[in-house]
Amino acid sequence: MKRLLFAIIIFILIGFPINAQINFHLIVKKPVPVKFSKWQQDPNIIQLALSNLTLNSYQNFSISFNIKDEKGRIKTYSRDGDPKVKRFNLSAGQTLVIPGTEAVNFKAVTYNKSIEDIILSTNSLPEGNYLLCVRIIDTLGNDIGNGGEKCELISIYLPEPPNLISPANASNLMSNLPQFIWTPVIGQDPTVQVQYRIKIAKILQGQTPKTAIETNIPILDKFVNTTSYQYLPSDYNLNNYNDDLGFAW
């Protein structure tokens, strides 16, 4: 009986550290930004709240993550064995909040080629619904987070660009001091001040309005913070042009 009891106690003592785990909660600020640089700079987009209610101390653990698309395909993931992966410690009874900018070393992340090309060319993440999944792992890659992998649905949508309202397309200006009006950007991060650029160019013979805007020297090129612009007497006089080719804006 004594030997049996001794064996049970040893089993419990040995098994306790294996079963003991870190409680953690994934916090995602929504809507998530489209700009990739924002993910690299803003510590509050993603946060991990950890608590160690055990008597164990966890050393040199790391945050493992992956992002899947709607079809379950992994689009990006952390290279968990990379020496550049950040490591953390959590003492018995300690709580810890880790900002996303600290949890992830972007130099130890692998991207799907299609996503990488979009990020490099536009600094934006591709639109769509994704599943962001996180694990807490030890140096051997074992899960030490209570409940294993935890996931959060994130949606990335590009803002709707402004639409021109006035002057209407192909309309004749009744005044050489017109008011230009457009709709606001829809779906933009509310913490970001949107700045609009209004550009007017003369259409030359054989040009389309798009070509005129892209190649001709503009007669007006200004940045404004509102969704309208009142043409000023100090701006270039539109009456200096009297042919029928018109303007592009």
Side-chain angles (χ1 to χ4, degrees):
M1 178 61 71
K2 290 183 178 180
R3 290 183 179 179
L4 179 59
L5 178 60
F6 179 74
I8 292 175
I9 291 174
I10 291 296
F11 176 79
I12 293 173
L13 291 177
I14 293 175
F16 179 75
I18 297 175
N19 295 328
Q21 292 181 313
I22 298 173
N23 292 324
F24 75 102
H25 180 57
L26 177 61
I27 305 168
V28 180
K29 184 177 72 173
K30 297 180 180 180
V32 295
V34 172
K35 294 296 182 183
F36 179 68
S37 56
K38 193 79 169 170
W39 288 76
Q40 295 175 300
Q41 299 164 3
D42 189 343
N44 298 317
I45 295 172
I46 296 175
Q47 298 180 80
L48 279 172
L50 285 69
S51 61
N52 181 7
L53 303 180
T54 74
L55 299 178
N56 301 305
S57 177
Y58 293 92
Q59 305 294 319
N60 296 320
F61 65 86
S62 61
I63 312 301
S64 173
F65 83 92
N66 66 77
I67 297 177
K68 306 181 184 77
D69 65 13
E70 292 177 292
K71 296 183 178 179
R73 297 172 298 194
I74 295 179
K75 310 303 286 186
T76 183
Y77 59 91
S78 56
R79 297 195 299 272
D80 298 333
D82 196 306
K84 293 188 290 292
V85 169
K86 298 184 179 182
R87 299 284 175 177
F88 304 92
N89 301 321
L90 196 62
S91 302
Q94 183 184 2
T95 60
L96 180 67
V97 176
I98 305 177
T101 49
E102 291 184 20
V104 177
N105 184 341
F106 287 91
K107 294 181 180 179
V109 174
T110 295
Y111 304 91
N112 175 280
K113 179 62 176 173
S114 61
I115 284 186
E116 186 176 29
D117 290 342
I118 293 173
I119 290 174
L120 291 175
S121 60
T122 67
N123 186 34
S124 298
L125 299 169
E127 284 188 291
N129 295 313
Y130 300 92
L131 204 59
L132 170 63
C133 298
V134 172
R135 296 188 301 136
I136 312 296
I137 59 174
D138 62 17
T139 54
L140 298 177
N142 299 314
D143 276 317
I144 57 173
N146 190 10
E149 186 176 69
K150 295 185 180 179
C151 301
E152 184 78 17
L153 180 65
I154 58 174
S155 298
I156 296 175
Y157 296 107
L158 295 175
E160 291 291 332
N163 290 313
L164 307 181
I165 297 176
S166 178
N169 185 43
S171 61
N172 293 318
L173 298 181
M174 304 305 294
S175 168
N176 65 342
L177 298 175
Q179 184 179 31
F180 295 88
I181 303 172
W182 55 93
T183 61
V185 172
I186 299 174
Q188 176 65 27
D189 185 341
T191 64
V192 176
Q193 171 65 57
V194 178
Q195 190 174 59
Y196 301 92
R197 182 182 184 184
I198 178 170
K199 186 177 181 180
I200 303 174
K202 187 72 180 71
I203 301 174
L204 303 179
Q205 188 68 42
Q207 288 184 326
T208 65
K210 184 175 185 292
T211 302
I213 284 290
E214 291 175 345
T215 60
N216 295 348
I217 297 174
I219 61 175
L220 182 78
D221 192 355
K222 290 189 176 182
F223 291 92
V224 296
N225 295 325
T226 61
T227 57
S228 65
Y229 179 77
Q230 177 61 58
Y231 206 83
L232 303 173
S234 57
D235 293 331
Y236 196 90
N237 191 343
L238 298 178
N239 286 335
N240 287 346
Y241 297 98
N242 54 13
D243 55 49
D244 294 328
L245 295 179
F247 305 93
W249 76 287

